[in-house]
Amino acid sequence: MAPASDRAADLALLIDQAREAGEIARLHHRTDVATWEKPEGAGPVTAADIAIDRMLKRTLLAARPDHGWLSEEIEDDPARLDHDRVFIVDPIDGTRAFMRGDDSFCHALAIAEAGEVTVAVAYFPIRDQMYWAVKGGGAFLDGTPLHVSARAEIDGAVALSGQKQMHPSSWPGGPPPVSREFRNSLVYRHCLVASGRFDLAFTLRAAWEWDVAAGALIAGEAGAVVTTATGADWRYNAAHPRMPGVVIGPAPLHADIMTRLRPVA
């Protein structure tokens, strides 16, 4: 693993480039930005997503030419599998929120080394809020340490999850007794759990690595347990970088959810 001094430099790089991404996003926010649907029902994309992704790839790989690259809007290159360290980037996490003119979208940037995320940032440009974490060094929002909720009982917990995730077919004993809210950005859901504003979050839908990597380190460093919906840890920079759902929360709540959840194939 890279020494602490290298991780500090990596963090500074990601923060700087996330802010540059924010400049592009602000230019397009609440404008008539070009928008289209991706093939095979993969969701919407905007010209801002593409511009940010291309800018980040150019600048980050110029700074770290020995790293691989994995991002949402650039075609996957299997050559990344030959790299021990790889950038994992979502240029705009929460594209639907961005298209609506909301401020709850972010730029999610992470570095994974030997399958583990070591440095991550999530920048919300309209709010000018920077979440960040370094493995073993805690998680922060604009320099303020983050800590997950102290709740230990699932009854009455407040969860971030989509309505479809509560379908009884996924919960043999019935859906968990939680209050539910939703946010488009999966990274934002990680950050909200990390800050203790929500008790837990889960999605039983498959999730791409770029939707999870940055938020997973931020939540994990704030004290959350973060696993796939199978209860397993995930090794990043996988050949097929899509994980079977995500469950995020303090250890007691995470354990309770996993005992209630029907095993995910």
Side-chain angles (χ1 to χ4, degrees):
M1 287 287 183
S5 59
D6 287 353
R7 291 185 185 177
D10 286 343
L11 176 63
L13 173 66
L14 295 189
I15 287 175
D16 180 65
Q17 293 308 304
R19 292 193 184 281
E20 289 295 320
E23 292 296 326
I24 297 174
R26 281 189 283 267
L27 288 174
H28 292 283
H29 191 237
R30 296 182 178 174
T31 69
D32 190 22
V33 62
T35 303
W36 59 96
E37 289 291 322
K38 299 179 190 177
E40 300 179 359
V45 64
T46 73
D49 294 80
I50 302 300
I52 291 168
D53 210 340
R54 289 175 176 172
M55 180 277 291
L56 289 173
K57 184 178 183 183
R58 181 178 67 254
T59 57
L60 290 174
L61 289 182
R64 301 287 188 274
D66 60 334
H67 287 33
W69 183 265
L70 176 65
S71 68
E72 182 170 12
E73 309 303 348
I74 293 175
E75 184 177 359
D76 191 11
D77 183 350
R80 66 180 169 80
L81 301 174
D82 298 327
H83 293 266
D84 188 54
R85 306 184 83 216
V86 59
F87 289 109
I88 303 176
V89 170
D90 194 338
I92 297 180
D93 190 61
T95 296
R96 286 185 174 86
F98 174 79
M99 291 165 57
R100 290 196 304 268
D102 293 354
D103 62 5
S104 59
F105 66 91
C106 71
H107 313 301
L109 287 63
I111 296 175
E113 182 175 353
E116 295 185 18
V117 179
T118 56
V119 183
V121 304
Y123 180 53
F124 294 77
I126 308 306
R127 302 175 178 183
D128 192 23
Q129 291 180 331
M130 184 75 71
Y131 291 83
W132 58 269
V134 174
K135 188 171 179 61
F140 300 85
L141 168 57
D142 296 328
T144 301
L146 297 175
H147 303 283
V148 295
S149 164
R151 175 178 285 275
E153 300 294 331
I154 196 75
D155 286 23
V158 184
L160 288 162
S161 186
Q163 179 61 44
K164 293 181 179 179
Q165 313 308 303
M166 306 296 285
H167 194 278
S169 63
S170 297
W171 309 93
V178 298
S179 300
R180 186 192 63 80
E181 293 190 27
F182 181 71
R183 301 291 187 276
N184 282 115
S185 165
L186 185 51
V187 174
Y188 187 31
R189 289 177 240 169
H190 283 80
C191 291
L192 289 171
V193 173
S195 67
R197 291 174 58 188
F198 287 81
D199 298 310
L200 72 158
F202 52 87
T203 179
L204 310 183
R205 297 178 57 188
W208 295 101
E209 287 189 7
W210 51 75
D211 292 322
V212 178
L217 183 65
I218 293 166
E221 286 295 321
V225 176
V226 183
T227 69
T228 71
T230 66
D233 293 330
W234 184 260
R235 303 295 294 179
Y236 289 87
N237 197 27
H240 182 59
R242 200 174 192 190
M243 58 187 67
V246 185
V247 179
I248 313 145
L253 301 186
H254 184 281
D256 197 329
I257 285 290
M258 296 311 301
T259 62
R260 297 169 183 265
L261 184 61
R262 185 182 302 281
V264 177

